[in-house]
Amino acid sequence: MRRFPEGFRWGTASSAYQFEGDNTASDWWAWEQQPGRIRNGDRSGLACDWWRAAERDFDLMVGLHQNACRLSVEWGRLEPHDGAWDAAALARYLQMLRALRERGMEPLITLNHFTLPQWVADRGGWLWDGLPRAFAAFAGRLTRAAGALCDFWVTLNEPVGHLALAYLFGRFAPGRRNPIALARAVVRSVRAHAAAYRAIHAVQPHARVGVAAYLRPAEPAVPSSRLDVWLARRLDHATNWMYLDALATGRLRSPLGIQVAVPEAAGTMDYVGVNYYTRSRVTFDVRRPGSGFVREVPAPGVAQSDGGYGEIYPDGLLTVLRAARRYERPVYVTENGLPDAADRLRPAFIVEHLRRVAQAIAEGVPVRGYYHWAIVDNFEWADGWSLRFGLHALDRRTQARTPRPSAALYGEICRRNALP
Ligand code: IFM
């Protein structure tokens, strides 16, 4: 048995848009209705019905002995129009937070998990220069309202990956394919995080605030190729460290070396949030200028999760946890999981990734918690309902949940605070 430190946080992670259902005031709602945006023409619809009955899944979490839960709030629901708050929506969120506390779980609230209120999107979304101010006002107001129930916050989920999908690869709303727009959006996002960080701390000085960064080690497909090595380094910097470095230093350094000063961001990271799923093995491909000349080359013979989501590569988690030590902050694995409808690979996936977490802790990395993605199948953005990440299978028609074998395994690990 490998024990985790006393007080280690065991949770599952979720997001409002993917779980609540009927988020009609958010930009993704209109986006989903456009033909061709979502695989198989799927819609989020009622999602996992959390807006009416999140407590059903909170009970499942208790059954798994979780002591923590990561969830997000939908900005568009709370503030459907500029400056106008919806009192009933706020009351529902407070009810959900109380429900978690009553069940012995510490909430970790994400303020932005990809979606924007439609009114923000209409003004330019992540390119709107008023976004940092509006987001900070939202963050401050929510902290005043919910601060008695929560002091642990993620401002932005996976800012770099999300903005790349939205402004470079055109797969997420608003579907742009423009590197300059991406660069501007990343700067805006760092400013938005910094403004929200300060707004939360102004209300709640003891708050713990950070981002949940999608960390995906990039390795050269051909280690002897200088071009592949160069490309992997650039990609590793852009995907993984550029943004977090900016929150540490106040300087945003692009992969090609251009530097933008964002002094208000310096020192705005109380912990490092790590979302880890897989790695990238890359080769330089001259035919792919639109993707930064990157072509992913899966390692031969390695297990893949459903739908080409990626290679199963637990060592990558150890790599990024070791690297995160550079920020000298507590570290949380804020997401980790895989799409695996048959639960063929998930049990070993959980154990192997948690082994790497235990190893990192043994090496002195201050990892304080782990949130598995996810308690139940949910709406996987452009992939719709085709990818099944749940410890429980969801029947969307009846909303019935069926535990997959890995649910009991994860529950046992949480209960023992140890790996079998
Ligand atoms: O479902 C997503 C989540 O919204 C962000 N992190 C990755 C998950 C799985 O793809």
Side-chain angles (χ1 to χ4, degrees):
M1 287 233 301
R2 211 150 181 186
R3 287 198 69 74
F4 286 81
E6 211 50 50
F8 193 81
R9 295 293 181 223
W10 292 105
T12 43
S14 64
S15 87
Y17 197 87
Q18 293 173 276
F19 284 71
E20 286 174 358
D22 286 339
N23 263 307
T24 54
S26 298
D27 59 344
W28 263 76
W29 192 263
W31 173 257
E32 278 186 48
Q33 315 311 319
Q34 298 174 19
R37 296 303 189 193
I38 313 293
R39 193 183 287 189
N40 304 324
D42 285 352
R43 298 283 183 271
S44 59
L46 202 57
C48 312
D49 201 17
W50 272 30
W51 194 242
R52 286 190 301 206
E55 290 77 354
R56 170 176 37 200
D57 287 334
F58 295 172
D59 287 338
L60 294 180
M61 295 172 193
V62 173
L64 299 191
H65 309 279
Q66 290 181 210
N67 57 16
C69 169
R70 178 174 169 223
L71 73 173
S72 79
V73 289
E74 196 67 17
W75 182 4
R77 215 188 255 294
L78 283 165
E79 192 177 358
H81 305 286
D82 189 0
W85 271 56
D86 183 323
L90 177 61
R92 173 65 183 133
Y93 278 124
L94 296 180
Q95 185 183 40
M96 284 163 66
L97 294 175
R98 263 183 241 110
L100 286 173
R101 288 290 184 191
E102 282 159 16
R103 287 163 175 77
M105 287 183 278
E106 179 192 57
L108 166 56
I109 300 184
T110 308
L111 297 176
N112 179 272
H113 196 117
F114 299 169
T115 51
L116 287 174
Q118 188 59 55
W119 62 267
V120 175
D122 291 343
R123 292 175 191 188
W126 293 96
L127 300 180
W128 176 38
D129 59 5
L131 186 136
R133 186 193 43 75
F135 186 55
F138 166 66
R141 194 159 173 177
L142 183 69
T143 311
R144 280 193 294 280
L149 292 162
C150 179
D151 62 3
F152 193 15
W153 309 90
V154 170
T155 54
L156 304 172
N157 184 65
E158 301 175 356
V160 177
H162 161 238
L163 293 174
L165 287 164
Y167 288 90
L168 185 63
F169 300 118
R171 288 194 69 217
F172 279 19
R176 300 281 303 273
R177 290 174 192 271
N178 181 335
I180 310 272
L182 171 62
R184 288 178 50 215
V186 170
V187 176
R188 193 78 76 229
S189 157
V190 172
R191 294 199 194 287
H193 160 81
Y197 177 96
R198 295 185 192 290
I200 296 169
H201 273 284
V203 179
Q204 200 179 46
H206 66 281
R208 289 159 296 157
V209 187
V211 295
Y214 181 91
L215 299 186
R216 178 172 177 140
E219 292 165 20
V222 184
S224 58
S225 155
R226 282 160 88 182
L227 218 47
D228 283 9
V229 170
W230 176 84
L231 187 71
R233 283 210 186 118
R234 298 278 72 76
L235 188 65
D236 190 58
H237 172 70
T239 317
N240 301 324
W241 313 114
M242 171 184 76
Y243 199 100
L244 293 176
D245 285 355
L247 306 194
T249 64
R251 287 186 303 277
L252 188 61
R253 193 167 53 82
S254 85
L256 296 177
I258 300 164
Q259 200 159 291
V260 179
V262 227
E264 71 269 36
T268 60
M269 185 164 57
D270 298 329
Y271 66 89
V272 187
V274 174
N275 291 2
Y276 176 77
Y277 287 87
T278 187
R279 72 164 163 177
S280 290
R281 265 180 99 245
V282 296
T283 193
F284 187 92
D285 187 340
V286 74
R287 289 159 303 181
R288 295 185 169 229
S291 310
F293 303 103
V294 174
R295 182 158 56 85
E296 295 245 358
V297 188
V302 176
Q304 296 273 340
S305 48
D306 291 351
Y309 190 80
E311 180 185 326
I312 309 233
Y313 188 62
D315 282 342
L317 179 55
L318 185 55
T319 304
V320 294
L321 291 176
R322 282 175 176 155
R325 195 165 26 187
R326 71 176 82 168
Y327 299 113
E328 299 179 341
R329 295 280 183 279
V331 178
Y332 290 84
V333 179
T334 37
E335 284 182 28
N336 175 234
L338 79 168
D340 180 19
D343 215 42
R344 200 169 40 95
L345 304 167
R346 191 175 284 104
F349 179 101
I350 292 174
V351 170
E352 288 305 318
H353 283 76
L354 284 171
R355 271 207 189 137
R356 301 322 189 272
V357 174
Q359 169 75 28
I361 294 171
E363 290 178 14
V365 184
V367 188
R368 301 279 155 77
Y370 172 92
Y371 299 77
H372 192 77
W373 184 279
I375 187 71
V376 64
D377 295 336
N378 56 88
F379 178 70
E380 180 58 22
W381 308 110
D383 288 309
W385 292 94
S386 65
L387 299 182
R388 301 288 175 147
F389 280 85
L391 294 169
H392 296 80
L394 174 72
D395 179 331
R396 289 184 62 219
R397 201 176 44 80
T398 61
Q399 284 291 330
R401 274 83 170 140
T402 308
R404 295 192 166 103
S406 46
L409 170 70
Y410 186 56
E412 198 47 21
I413 294 170
C414 299
R415 188 181 70 77
R416 295 187 191 191
N417 194 32
L419 275 175

